[in-house]
Amino acid sequence: MRIKTKNKKPLWKIEKDFISYAVPVIQDGRLLEADSFLQHAETTRYEHCVAVAYHSLMLAEKLQIPCDKKSLVTGALLHDYFFYDWHESDITHMYHGFTHPKAALKNALCDFDLNPLEQNIILRHMFPVTPIPPSNIEGLIICFTDKLCGLAETLHINKTPLPDCADIWNAIKTDSETPAN
C-alpha cells in the first residue's frame, strides 16, 4: 500500500532549485580549489560539499521539512571551506575534527556575506564531535547528511558524489567554469 502525500515537488524542480542555489556560491568563491584536496577516501572536498548540499536539499524536500533552502545549500557547500590537507602528518591537524569548522567559517566570511543561519550551519556541522549542536533545523539536516555522505565516501558505497545526477554535476561544473560577461 502506497501512502499518498500531497504537494511533493517533482525531482526535476528540486534539481533546478539546487542548481540555482549552488552555482552562485561555486562561482563567487574558492570552492573549486577544494577539488584538489581529498576529503574521504577518493572523494575530493569539493565533491563532498556538493554531495552534502544536494542530499541535504533532497532530504528537506522529500520529508517536507520547512526550512530556508537557499541557506541550507549555501551552508552545506561551505561547511568544509578550508584549504589544507588534513590527512598530512602535521601537529596542527591533530585536532582537525574539532577545529576545522572555525577555519571554514573564517574563510567563508572572507569570501561571502553570510547570514547568521549560514554561519551557524558552518560552525556547528561537526556535532556531536563538537559539543554544541546547531541552533536550527537546517544545521541538523546538514549534520546528519554530512555524516551519511562521509560514511558512504569512506566505505566506497557511492561511486560519484551525486548518484544518478550527472546532469546536475555537469551543470555545476559547466556554469562555474564559464567566465562571467
Side-chain angles (χ1 to χ4, degrees):
M1 179 176 156
R2 291 188 103 177
I3 299 173
K4 288 188 178 182
T5 58
K6 34 183 166 162
N7 301 326
K8 281 204 177 183
K9 246 188 209 181
L11 181 61
W12 69 268
K13 282 187 179 179
I14 298 169
E15 292 174 350
K16 186 176 178 182
D17 288 347
F18 177 75
I19 291 170
S20 73
Y21 301 143
V23 169
V25 176
I26 294 167
Q27 286 178 332
D28 295 344
R30 298 178 285 156
L31 192 58
L32 283 172
E33 291 177 29
D35 208 26
S36 62
F37 297 101
L38 288 178
Q39 185 70 357
H40 303 115
E42 297 169 4
T43 304
T44 70
R45 188 165 309 130
Y46 173 77
E47 292 168 336
H48 169 72
C49 289
V50 171
V52 171
Y54 176 77
H55 292 298
S56 292
L57 182 61
M58 275 295 171
L59 182 67
E61 289 286 2
K62 292 298 180 184
L63 296 180
Q64 299 179 7
I65 300 170
C67 65
D68 180 340
K69 293 179 177 67
K70 183 178 181 295
S71 291
L72 177 81
V73 171
T74 299
L77 286 171
L78 301 175
H79 81 280
D80 282 336
Y81 198 65
F82 58 91
F83 305 97
Y84 60 86
D85 185 355
W86 65 272
H87 302 92
E88 290 178 354
S89 182
D90 183 328
I91 191 82
T92 62
H93 302 160
M94 186 169 22
Y95 298 107
H96 165 79
F98 301 99
T99 61
H100 82 269
K102 286 183 182 176
L105 179 58
K106 181 181 175 186
N107 290 331
L109 287 170
C110 287
D111 293 349
F112 298 95
D113 183 23
L114 301 175
N115 64 42
L117 172 59
E118 294 160 346
Q119 292 179 42
N120 185 266
I121 289 168
I122 296 166
L123 191 60
R124 303 292 179 219
H125 81 272
M126 282 302 290
F127 180 77
V129 174
T130 55
I132 303 171
S135 62
N136 48 69
I137 190 67
E138 295 85 352
L140 291 171
I141 292 168
I142 290 168
C143 275
F144 176 75
T145 308
D146 181 38
K147 306 311 175 272
L148 285 180
C149 287
L151 182 63
E153 294 158 5
T154 301
L155 298 178
H156 303 280
I157 295 170
N158 64 330
K159 298 296 179 197
T160 62
L162 301 175
D164 303 321
C165 301
D167 292 341
I168 296 173
W169 183 248
N170 291 333
I172 291 170
K173 282 276 202 183
T174 303
D175 286 351
S176 62
E177 292 168 356
T178 303
N181 291 332

